[in-house]
Amino acid sequence: MTFRAFCSLLTVVSLIPAFAPAQGSYKEPPPVIAAMLDARPTPSLSLSPRRDWFVLQERAGQLRSIAEVAEPHLKLAGSRINPRTNGTAGATGAVRLSLQRVSDRGVVPVEVPSGGRLGGPDWAPTGDRFVFTQTTDHGIALYHADTTGKVRQLVGPRINGTPGGGCSWLDGTRLLCALIPAGRGAPPVRVDTPTGPVIQESAGRAEPSRTYQDLLQDQTDEQLFDYYFTRQWSVVGLDGSITPWGAPGIITNVSPSPDGQWFLVNVVQPPYSYQEPWSRFPSRTEIWTAAGTAHKILKNQTAIEVTPTARGAVLPGPRSWRWRTDAPATLIWIEALDGGDPKQEAAKRDRILAQDAPFTSEPRTFMETEWRAGGITWGRDNFALVSESWPESRMTRTWIVNPAKPSAAPRKLWERSSDDRYGNPGSPVMRQTEDGRSLLHFSEDGRSLWLTGAGSSPEGDRPFLDRLDLATLKTTRLWRSEAPYYETVVAALDADRGTWLTRRESVNEPPNYWQRDVVLRRAPVQLTDAPDPAPTFAQVTKQRLVYAREDGVRLAGTLYLPAGYDASRDGPLPTLFWVYPAEFASAEAASQVTGSPYRFTRPGGASHLYLLTQGYAILDDPTFPIIAKDGGESNDTYVEQLEMAARAAIDTLVAMGVTDRDRVAVGGHSYGAFTTANLLAHTRLFKAGLARSGAYNRTLTPFGFQSERRNYWEAQEVYLRMSPFNYANTLKDPILFIHGSDDNNSGTFPIQSERMYAAVKGNGGTTRLVMLPNESHGYAARESVGHTLAEMTEWLDRYMKPKAMVP
């Protein structure tokens, strides 16, 4: 089918003469888009720790109904809770599970209970069984299954699924689960008549806070928070036994030591905040015994701690407690040596400390770091990897240390800029032991590790597998993804014999799992057969473009062209840019190419790529780097750099003959919507804009946004210049605003779109505002997504296509 014949089949909706505020019914997008929205999604996969089985999880559809999205929920301390389930509101899940053997692809059906949504699965560390949850209107229940597919219930609908709850394996036969306390009674009832005002007070200490949403509002909210978040932790056996563990409370982050004899826990305590989410409430960090009794308080935080906003700043005192995973019960934590202040001169910034059970001896220094200490990856008694980084310079380094000899000098493994994707050596492959510990995966002779990474390069991402010699610190390339495929390493099946599980895709082949031999180089074996979820999209073409803006910075983007399109025959197309900027410390880092031309691309959710079926070319995720210059901050020249990047992309596409310069639109979601409004306010490069769920007035996010760490009073001119709301009078090209009326993302309050629309309208601009009922930052309901795509199609058709093409 030619592109012109294809265009003749497009369903184009009629023009709507003017916007009038009203509660309308949901629109459907063109039929070809609706059919893809309703296609069954590709199953997801969960591999067992033994790498011999995986569970396939099938969903009924990719989207929920508006009735499900609109289910009642409570907004409590930064979370949304479904009072009927005592779990997170809007939780999705599978409807069917099946088992498949890796060795022969044999399939075993899993006898799941009917109805509800299935969560998990969570494999036991022994790898021969797993548990999953079922969520219904009656609550969340826990089920057990083994590799025969037989299923039995372990816990009825008593699981407390609020954040910080759930279940986790203690060993191969027991789980620790957060349950709803027995006999807790009816929930608190909100009284319409207030008992008094809500009062907040500041005692003169600077307490900057991000613009969080869904926070506590009054005493009833506090009571509801206590009611739904309080859980009784209990040990659940595979025989169905349930043994309470400790007293009920808002107890989160329960982490057992590797020997299972001690537990690191966090106990949330009053006073609660009306400005912060629950994860930042006062709390006690404690060590508990296996019997569920408190053994030692590590930190008793009785007031809200204010996290510093400067790059590299941390709270003073101990932080980041964790277990050493290669020892029975050794606690590891970090303390700042500079008081947490990066502006203070200090030879060493952090100290890593260790303490063995029963945690009564003096802590010993494990290591001191010049920069901020990061993660520790444990391997064996004489080998671990310690990372440190300095956000101001964006530098990071990794050390090899000997835990048995902390005084021994560490060996530097890597040091590089975190922005340098080409120089990223990858991450070490991990293994899970049968007692559930995660450790570095050494070769059988103990002399090597394996590394996997994205393999970013000037030709795009080419994932790789390397072997690292621990004596020489040199790597040997064992395998690298080759055109025309994009293939990533998932897990080791038998690393020393060279067999690995990979996930492979191409432009026309959907992602599937393969068994690959990197030693004998035998032909890979396909393990799954996921079909193409949107075959009507198969003839769309794409091309990875690399070009430069006027200051020499190299840019890149993926150009998609409609099925059947031929530039020489069909001429330039109306084109949509879908944008989202990123900040960089240098032009060299910003110029690095990312992505791959060999990815299998099919749209999902409210994807802009559906518009390819309506005759539009799309430049997807073009590089819009915002680079720090002359010792300043990235955002100091934000607007100027946006315009340079946009102009370079348009010039490139026009020169290729695929884009009509007078019919280019720009769109984006969240920070991309903010960028869209700025481009329309400060340039006349675009014919129309699509702005979804954005923030347009930065005075409403005065304590930072994205990677901007300065507050409004420190960088007032930057905040004002970057706010398209301040330039609504210059925004002359048509812009469509779409926003979820229940958006809970930090900074993107629904009022951001409402006031921006009013500002553009009040200044005589062409605009339209669509508020989606019950939707959050991302749109979840089939009706909402369909309506969003219909609105986007109509808006671009109205302002981007010749009148002859729009009936």
Side-chain angles (χ1 to χ4, degrees), residues 340-388:
D341 183 0
K343 297 179 181 179
Q344 179 177 310
E345 293 294 328
K348 299 288 186 178
R349 295 287 175 181
D350 277 343
R351 174 186 294 134
I352 302 173
L353 296 114
Q355 190 179 43
D356 299 324
F359 317 107
T360 54
S361 61
E362 282 296 312
R364 62 185 182 276
T365 297
F366 179 79
M367 184 179 180
E368 292 184 349
T369 58
E370 181 183 354
W371 300 335
R372 286 286 175 243
I376 305 178
T377 309
W378 302 98
R380 56 196 181 205
D381 59 356
N382 66 349
F383 192 99
L385 300 177
V386 178
S387 66
E388 61 173 327

Side-chain angles (χ1 to χ4, degrees), residues 367 399-402 405-412:
M367 184 179 180
W399 299 94
I400 297 174
V401 299
N402 183 347
K405 297 180 179 179
S407 60
R411 298 171 66 198
K412 188 194 299 182

Side-chain angles (χ1 to χ4, degrees), residues 763-797:
N763 279 284
T766 302
T767 185
R768 180 177 173 89
L769 174 65
V770 178
M771 302 299 293
L772 300 172
N774 299 103
E775 291 292 353
S776 186
H777 194 58
Y779 316 144
R782 167 63 176 81
E783 293 86 345
S784 301
V785 169
H787 188 94
T788 295
L789 294 169
E791 291 278 358
M792 292 167 62
T793 302
E794 292 176 16
W795 194 256
L796 293 189
D797 284 352

Side-chain angles (χ1 to χ4, degrees), residues 377-379 383-385 428-431 438-442 449:
T377 309
W378 302 98
F383 192 99
L385 300 177
V429 173
M430 307 297 291
R431 67 182 179 91
S438 180
L439 298 171
L440 288 166
H441 195 326
F442 293 98
L449 291 173

Side-chain angles (χ1 to χ4, degrees), residues 483-495:
Y485 299 107
Y486 177 82
E487 190 170 359
T488 59
V489 172
V490 176
L493 297 176
D494 189 336

